[in-house]
Amino acid sequence: MNEIIKIKGLRKVYRMGKEKVVALNSIDLSINKGEICCILGTSGSGKSTLLNMVAGLEKPTRGEIIIKGKHIEKMNEKQVTKFRQENVGFVFQSYNLLTSLTAIENVAMPLIFGGCSKRKRNKMAGKILKDVGLGDRLHHKPSEMSGGQQQRVSIARAFVHSPEIVFADEPTGNLDTKTTMEVLKMIVDMAKEKNQTLIIVTHDPETCIFADKVIHVRDGDVQKIEVKDEIAGRNKVETTNS
Ligand code: ADP
Ligand code: MG
């Protein structure tokens, strides 16, 4: 298997004055290239902490994070920023769009670091916004769009520079049920089209229906890992029972 992410003995302890919070105890996992992977767990189980470590946004207390053969935990700030810009896209629960910029300006942002011309950036941003169904909202600001539309802008921003890995932290957490499925399917389809690796963090088992692998996290540890057939089987059982 073509492994793109490998995590070994990952631990994160936060210190709050004299208190210690063990957010991650000891996590081991591996994710293959092109895999659609869900990290599933209840609130406080350590999902966001895990994602932040893997994305190099925070340093672990202990353990190894190897992405494309490179040790993320050993990189300095500058190296990790460059690595993220070149390899990673993000979708957040609260969209994290820049409020003063239009849709097309937000989406063009990740391309600035790649050094392409403004003309090319706008062309690429415009095209991907059309792909997510927002061709008629290019010059709208976030406040002039619905939650579902803002999340589609943020999906376009995550994918515009064709990163090998896309992280999504509770991407549908602020959306209604219908929009949730639309947005979810859009992220999954975009990732599949270019064989990108997608990691979705969620507390909602229904969000995992498109996943190749579900990593269940509980109290900072991996509780179990389900692969595609088991996920399908579980959904089947649930449907038959209901
Ligand atoms: P999840 O995303 O699964 O809801 P988190 O990863 O955000 O969980 O949090 C896991 C645990 O770590 C929780 O108990 C949380 O309170 C704690 N935690 C997260 N971030 C911090 C922080 N910056 N400082 C102290 N404790 C934190
Ligand atoms: Mg979280």
Side-chain angles (χ1 to χ4, degrees), residues 14-30:
Y14 291 108
R15 285 185 192 281
M16 312 270 289
K18 283 183 183 162
E19 293 280 303
K20 278 202 317 189
V21 181
V22 182
L24 297 179
N25 183 36
S26 179
I27 301 267
D28 294 290
L29 58 89
S30 102

Side-chain angles (χ1 to χ4, degrees), residues 14-16 21-24 41-50 58 169-170 201 217:
Y14 291 108
R15 285 185 192 281
M16 312 270 289
V21 181
V22 182
L24 297 179
T42 52
S43 173
S45 55
K47 306 181 298 294
S48 294
T49 305
L50 175 59
E58 283 183 78
D169 193 351
E170 303 273 5
V201 161
V217 176

